Amino acid sequence: MSEKTRRIAFIPGDGIGIEVTAEAIKALEALIKSHGLAVDYRVFDWGAEKYLREGVSLPEGAFDIFRRDYAAIFIGALGDPRVPSNQHAADILLGTRFNLDLYVNQRPVKLLDARLCPLKNRSEQDVDFVIFRENTEGLYVGMGGVFKKNTPDEIAVQEDMNTRKGVERILVYAFEYAGAHGLKKLCMSDKANALPFGHGLWQRAFAEVRKRYPGIESRHLYVDTLNMELVRDPSQFEVIVTCNMFGDILSDLGAALQGGLGLAPSANIHPGQVSMFETVHGSAPNIAGKNVANPMAAVLTVGMMLDHLGHAQAAARAEEAVREAIRENVTTPDLGGSFGTRETGDWIAARL
Ligand code: ATP
């Protein structure tokens, strides 16, 4: 491995995560060859199988190793019905997000073929925006508790944690991204009318940050209105920035607009540090092991990862190969095709 070679850690995980990661690796290998990329990778067998066998989610010091030796991490998907607590998934997935402080969750929503959009008369140009979800705070930090559990008087409290620093840094990232990519329209979304404390902070931070970016047309929509507008006319959006929970929900809506979970990639970023890339879909135990999972989200995720590592051409090629596969009807059943996971992956890799 030369000085400049960047190293990627692959964690296939569970269920269809294992199947789609195999296809993602095929695509990466093809791109390494065709574009002469100085990229190397290693596969880690962390997931339910190992957790059940050894009681270990991930070894001690794993995050230090990532920080020191890796440029990026690719996670397939985690979750297995044999681990009802989902402890290993929380340790690996949330552990990576929180320990590496990956505060930007970037979820592009791009319609690659107009035939896949569930909305009437929409072209590829109408559905092309990116959601930035705050990834380290909000309702998902696990603050709270239950009192008098399993009694008629049970009380459950789940805290929504927002810090000025945390909110400001995701807003700044979204504005900077818009500026760097020639995007002019940014929408911040919250629910400050009903959540005046937590989301009042979002409003104040937004009012201040937007002043620094006069060239970007920024606006605010409450999340319920944004939800409706995304279905009514998605073409009005270029960049959306929002909190952890709303970002989670809106990106599934986004995935539907682009043709389903089988096509949705995402990135978990801390600028300048090791970042993590994953498909938006989960481990889908209902279709695992049947060679029917769509590997395209995983291939597009490899593209996002390469783009992040500075290989924009290879990233564009990955997207183009997926677009070609859809155009030629080389697709899995979720997109109406009759190809298997491996066959679709082979076709894309050959194209690359
Ligand atoms: P999560 O891990 O997000 O809590 P999950 O594993 O139950 O959820 P997902 O994998 O996110 O579910 O997806 C929900 C459903 O969407 C799946 O049960 C499956 O039918 C379908 N699906 C998801 N990903 C794919 C894919 N790559 N190819 C085909 N179908 C998919």
Side-chain angles (χ1 to χ4, degrees):
M1 201 168 86
S2 81
E3 264 311 284
K4 281 195 192 136
T5 301
R6 319 287 295 279
R7 181 165 263 200
I8 297 165
F10 276 92
I11 305 171
D14 304 322
I16 66 166
I18 297 171
E19 294 167 78
V20 299
T21 302
E23 305 314 313
I25 291 175
K26 274 186 208 163
L28 177 67
E29 282 179 344
L31 286 166
I32 290 174
K33 277 198 198 116
S34 60
H35 288 71
L37 307 179
V39 168
D40 193 357
Y41 69 90
R42 186 178 155 192
V43 180
F44 292 84
D45 66 346
W46 305 340
E49 208 53 60
K50 190 179 176 77
Y51 183 72
L52 290 168
R53 204 174 54 233
E54 300 169 18
V56 175
S57 305
L58 72 182
E60 219 171 296
F63 297 116
D64 292 331
I65 294 171
F66 285 153
R67 265 187 221 104
R68 199 185 58 219
D69 298 337
Y70 287 84
I73 304 161
F74 179 108
I75 297 186
L78 290 150
D80 187 305
R82 293 172 300 164
V83 187
S85 67
N86 242 356
Q87 189 57 47
H88 71 297
D91 292 347
I92 298 171
L93 199 56
L94 301 182
T96 303
R97 284 185 187 157
F98 288 118
N99 277 288
L100 300 178
D101 195 28
L102 305 177
Y103 67 89
V104 179
N105 192 301
Q106 181 179 340
R107 295 188 164 186
V109 177
K110 193 167 183 177
L111 181 63
L112 296 181
D113 188 310
R115 291 175 299 164
L116 299 176
C117 188
L119 305 179
K120 270 187 291 184
N121 306 322
R122 288 291 171 195
S123 69
E124 288 86 350
Q125 290 72 38
D126 292 333
V127 183
D128 188 1
F129 59 92
V130 54
I131 299 175
F132 288 104
R133 159 187 174 189
E134 202 296 317
N135 214 22
T136 50
E137 301 194 346
L139 270 163
Y140 290 12
V141 294
M143 279 170 67
V146 285
F147 181 50
K148 299 184 183 174
K149 195 173 179 180
N150 293 327
T151 74
D153 297 325
E154 178 165 351
I155 298 168
V157 175
Q158 194 85 45
E159 299 286 358
D160 181 14
M161 202 269 291
N162 299 271
T163 70
R164 178 66 193 230
K165 274 190 199 159
V167 172
E168 190 161 328
R169 67 182 180 172
I170 187 71
L171 292 174
V172 167
Y173 192 92
F175 273 103
E176 288 288 331
Y177 180 95
H181 291 80
L183 303 173
K184 293 272 171 272
K185 291 184 278 185
L186 181 146
C187 174
M188 190 282 273
S189 187
D190 62 28
K191 190 67 186 162
N193 48 352
L195 306 171
F197 309 120
H199 288 188
L201 188 155
W202 277 77
Q203 293 270 327
R204 290 190 296 280
F206 180 58
E208 200 181 294
V209 172
R210 72 195 300 195
K211 282 193 215 143
R212 300 179 214 157
Y213 301 90
I216 294 168
E217 186 194 313
S218 57
R219 67 166 164 161
H220 167 262
L221 287 178
Y222 292 123
V223 70
D224 36 3
T225 308
L226 173 59
N227 211 36
M228 190 176 67
E229 289 298 319
L230 276 171
V231 173
R232 201 184 60 77
D233 179 13
S235 72
Q236 55 184 308
F237 299 101
E238 289 183 343
V239 175
I240 292 169
V241 57
T242 188
C243 66
N244 207 337
M245 180 167 75
F246 296 163
D248 189 9
I249 298 168
L250 290 169
S251 39
D252 269 26
L253 192 154
L257 295 179
Q258 71 189 124
L261 283 170
L263 284 167
S266 79
N268 298 261
I269 296 169
H270 187 118
Q273 297 181 21
V274 57
S275 294
M276 186 265 276
F277 300 80
E278 58 174 338
T279 59
V280 171
H281 67 74
S283 59
N286 59 325
I287 57 165
K290 296 181 178 156
N291 194 36
V292 295
N294 188 346
M296 289 173 173
V299 173
L300 293 169
T301 301
V302 163
M304 276 190 93
M305 182 166 67
L306 291 176
D307 193 41
H308 183 78
L309 297 179
H311 301 299
Q313 262 194 344
R317 186 68 201 108
E319 184 181 301
E320 193 45 39
V322 169
R323 203 190 292 269
E324 285 164 14
I326 298 169
R327 199 163 49 226
E328 304 283 328
N329 297 318
V330 181
T331 57
T332 42
D334 57 309
L335 300 188
S338 55
F339 282 73
T341 308
R342 286 190 293 276
E343 292 68 28
T344 307
D346 284 342
W347 193 94
I348 293 172
R351 224 46 190 198
L352 294 172

